[in-house]
Amino acid sequence: MNILNSQTNETTNNFDPNIYDFIDGQKLELNSIEGFRKYSPRDGSLLYTLHPGETKRVDMAVANAKEAFDDGRWSNLPVRERARILNRLADLIEVKFDHFAYLESLDAGKPITAALTDDLPTTLSELRYYAHGADNIFSKHHFTDHRKISYEHRRPLGVVGAIIGWNFPLLLAITKIGPALAMGNTLVLKPSALTSLSACRVAELAIEAGVPPGVLNVVHGSGAVVGSTLSHHRDIKLLTFTGSSVIGREIMVAAGNSNMKRVLLECGGKSPNIVFNDCPEDLNAVADEVIISAFRNQGQVCIAGSRLLLQEGIKARLLPIFLERLAALRPGDPLDPNTRFGPVVSHEQLRKVMNYIDYGKRQGAKLIHGGNRVQLELDGFYVEPTVFDDVALDHAIAQEEIFGPVLSVFSFRDEQEALKIANSTPYGLAASVWTQNLGRAQRMAHGIEAGFIEIRATTAPHDDDAPFSVEGHKQSGFGKEGGMEGLLSYSAVSTVDIRI
Ligand code: NAD
């Protein structure tokens, strides 16, 4: 059966469920009849079974990555040569653009159209950005005066361990591979057990692109075995993590209890989307943006605007428009190119989302849209976009990251109250503020505790610029990732001071 249209040329018939570790340029088979069973988000069928992983596999990968770092086969290459190879990797991924989009859709349940128009283009532009960015860093950091020469000697750290989540499997892998390799490190990457299809295929392509064996290694398995071994490993110099705050805390403890490795923690969020009465006049457009912010990727986005704060004057006008437009967003088969909203990633995630919906009702919030598991005949993990109004600050759905399609709506009178609500959770990842008042925009930007604050004075479309650095606040983590400063995170600096 051909499920996709000619846009992708993919069929479910040519799906290859093979998962393999990739160590020292070699594929090591992993599929096993025992272990973690991965079910398709779209129809609940068994996609693959995954071995939980073994400590000795991790040790083997780290030992190979260490040898590859120590003998300089990668770190001693001119930075431009590394950039050329990473750009070639981007080209090879691009050749298989449709195939990777298909794998992302199948594995994570994201709509194929989103994978084709969002995940894959962003993945490619990030990788190319990092390849060129490193060149700029290494060639710029020196300065002199007439009596002395001081300069910063920037060097790679060594073996980097990367542990990632499942919401953007390929993109998250590339946001670790790109900066780690561009700066001359070697890497051991652990994908989420829920989305194992793309990373090992990228590692294989890296060899074809010219990355030497041992530089990019992938080890699959559980967090308890593979993740924990990596975060405790004494030969890993930096552990970069994208996942929940709960596990982020464990990574910090592991780093402290082992070799005091550096950590970069990109963790959870509960981001406010704050709409003032003086927001842009086109409320249809504002409503559409709020929908994208809350429900893109079924709400499984770290920076999702999962709390909507509406000023009292605008609420009665905006909310009905928002709900009317949201009604068009209905869960459907992610492999259908017309689908804009797919299933959540797993049965466990579905259960978690339904539990939060239940809490919301029991704690007294008012369900005003959705709330049901749907498409039962498809047997997948489909839940409606769900909206609660009258949410109180102490409700679970006001405080905890659901990481699913559940939006909590609050009302506020003035800036002060908006700030109080915005800053009331343990998280500080992102925020959006809709206002055309410059002073208010500035006050809110400085008052909100978040790493990324977007001011929306217009609904006009804008181009996404080159990636910039973002650092979580509070329990959303710390350490810069993305952009030029993100590249710096994957290196250490020695200041050399020469008196002459
Ligand atoms: P998770 O924390 O459950 O798992 C993330 C990774 O950690 C997985 O690979 C998992 O196997 C591994 N892991 C689990 N236990 C471990 C342990 N004891 N030691 C080491 N590793 C372990 O998160 P998830 O459910 O996969 O992803 C969702 C979370 O990721 C959300 O909280 C979301 O906000 C966050 N996220 C954050 C960003 C960001 O940029 N801040 C981006 C994407 C996702």
Side-chain angles (χ1 to χ4, degrees):
M1 175 180 46
N2 191 345
I3 287 178
L4 303 183
N5 68 5
S6 57
Q7 225 182 345
T8 69
N9 298 320
E10 291 286 355
T11 70
T12 49
N13 290 335
N14 64 11
F15 166 61
D16 168 13
N18 201 20
I19 313 285
Y20 42 90
D21 283 345
F22 200 82
I23 299 177
D24 201 24
Q26 304 293 323
K27 287 161 84 162
L28 303 177
E29 295 305 326
L30 254 191
N31 295 65
S32 92
I33 41 170
E34 287 165 22
F36 174 78
R37 294 164 83 78
K38 160 71 189 185
Y39 296 99
S40 162
R42 63 185 287 264
D43 60 11
S45 62
L46 185 65
L47 267 188
Y48 48 84
T49 309
L50 198 64
H51 195 278
E54 292 172 315
T55 300
K56 64 177 190 224
R57 266 289 162 92
V58 181
D59 290 340
M60 180 179 162
V62 176
N64 277 286
K66 185 169 182 321
E67 192 182 326
F69 182 77
D70 290 347
D71 69 16
R73 73 185 79 160
W74 181 247
S75 59
N76 285 349
L77 285 184
V79 63
R80 289 205 173 145
E81 178 60 6
R82 293 203 302 263
R84 192 191 65 73
I85 293 170
L86 291 177
N87 276 314
R88 170 105 179 100
L89 173 59
D91 295 343
L92 291 174
I93 294 173
E94 193 161 21
V95 170
K96 293 177 177 279
F97 192 94
D98 293 355
H99 185 64
F100 275 110
Y102 170 70
L103 294 182
E104 296 296 272
S105 179
L106 206 60
D107 220 2
K110 60 181 68 227
I112 184 73
T113 301
L116 286 165
T117 57
D118 186 359
D119 295 52
L120 263 293
T122 313
T123 296
L124 294 176
S125 68
E126 291 258 342
L127 185 51
R128 289 175 174 138
Y129 174 85
Y130 291 126
H132 288 301
D135 191 12
N136 292 332
I137 287 173
F138 280 103
S139 60
K140 268 189 186 157
H141 272 70
H142 62 274
F143 47 91
T144 61
D145 73 19
H146 69 291
R147 299 280 299 278
K148 67 170 192 161
I149 305 170
S150 309
Y151 63 93
E152 288 185 351
H153 173 57
R154 193 160 280 283
R155 57 174 101 222
L157 291 155
V159 182
V160 173
I163 300 175
I164 55 175
W166 44 261
N167 56 335
F168 293 92
L170 177 65
L171 177 59
L172 291 181
I174 286 296
T175 60
K176 308 299 186 191
I177 294 169
L181 267 56
M183 297 301 280
N185 304 282
T186 59
L187 183 71
V188 179
L189 171 73
K190 187 200 110 48
S192 166
L194 282 172
T195 47
S196 304
L197 290 173
S198 49
C200 48
R201 287 160 174 81
V202 169
E204 210 179 339
L205 283 183
I207 295 287
E208 198 181 327
V211 174
V215 171
L216 171 53
N217 307 278
V218 176
V219 181
H220 292 281
S222 70
V225 177
V226 176
S228 177
T229 307
L230 271 179
S231 58
H232 285 92
H233 208 292
R234 291 181 174 270
D235 284 331
I236 287 184
K237 299 293 171 56
L238 165 71
L239 198 294
T240 170
F241 170 77
T242 301
S244 63
S245 302
V246 173
I247 304 298
R249 284 195 285 270
E250 288 194 29
I251 304 276
M252 284 179 81
V253 173
N257 282 337
S258 52
N259 60 339
M260 205 170 156
K261 58 178 67 63
R262 296 175 182 213
V263 291
L264 290 173
L265 301 177
E266 286 192 317
C267 301
K270 189 79 182 172
S271 299
N273 203 344
I274 307 169
V275 186
F276 282 94
N277 295 342
D278 55 13
C279 68
E281 274 144 34
D282 183 352
L283 292 189
N284 286 333
V286 174
D288 287 346
E289 296 276 342
V290 170
I291 289 170
I292 292 169
S293 171
F295 297 116
R296 173 178 167 236
N297 208 34
Q298 294 73 250
Q300 302 164 130
V301 179
C302 55
I303 57 169
S306 54
R307 293 183 295 148
L308 178 60
L309 280 56
L310 299 175
Q311 197 170 15
E312 282 171 357
I314 197 80
K315 185 173 182 185
R317 286 172 55 218
L318 182 59
L319 203 52
I321 296 173
F322 165 76
L323 291 174
E324 191 189 318
R325 295 177 90 80
L326 183 60
L329 193 67
R330 282 190 287 271
D333 182 350
L335 292 182
D336 179 341
N338 296 317
T339 293
R340 294 290 174 273
F341 186 89
V344 296
V345 71
S346 64
H347 195 259
E348 190 190 13
Q349 189 69 8
L350 174 72
R351 208 167 33 225
K352 180 178 163 200
V353 170
M354 296 312 294
N355 278 344
Y356 273 109
I357 293 174
D358 198 38
Y359 283 147
K361 290 183 200 160
R362 281 193 282 126
Q363 289 193 305
K366 185 165 142 201
L367 181 67
I368 56 171
H369 186 86
N372 300 302
R373 182 179 179 185
V374 290
Q375 303 277 30
L376 293 176
E377 67 288 359
L378 292 181
D379 239 6
F381 313 132
Y382 299 87
V383 56
E384 292 173 304
T386 296
V387 185
F388 282 97
D389 194 5
D390 296 339
V391 180
L393 280 188
D394 60 350
H395 287 172
I397 61 168
Q399 291 296 320
E400 294 169 24
E401 185 188 42
I402 301 172
F403 215 56
V406 181
L407 176 68
S408 299
V409 181
F410 304 79
S411 314
F412 66 90
R413 280 181 306 280
D414 52 21
E415 286 176 27
Q416 229 180 356
E417 194 179 11
L419 278 176
K420 182 177 163 220
I421 300 171
N423 289 333
S424 67
T425 78
Y427 299 102
L429 198 54
S432 298
V433 181
W434 292 86
T435 177
Q436 297 184 86
N437 177 321
L438 186 58
R440 164 170 293 154
Q442 199 74 1
R443 286 189 294 278
M444 294 301 290
H446 294 183
I448 296 172
E449 296 171 87
F452 178 67
I453 298 161
E454 180 189 56
I455 303 294
R456 301 299 307 269
T458 174
T459 51
H462 60 280
D463 286 339
D464 277 333
D465 301 313
F468 42 81
S469 312
V470 174
E471 174 169 51
H473 291 205
K474 294 155 81 180
Q475 292 186 34
S476 291
F478 56 83
K480 292 214 165 121
E481 294 242 47
M484 294 302 265
E485 289 186 69
L487 277 164
L488 297 181
S489 301
Y490 285 79
S491 64
V493 75
S494 306
T495 301
V496 181
D497 191 41
I498 306 173
R499 306 290 166 102
I500 48 177

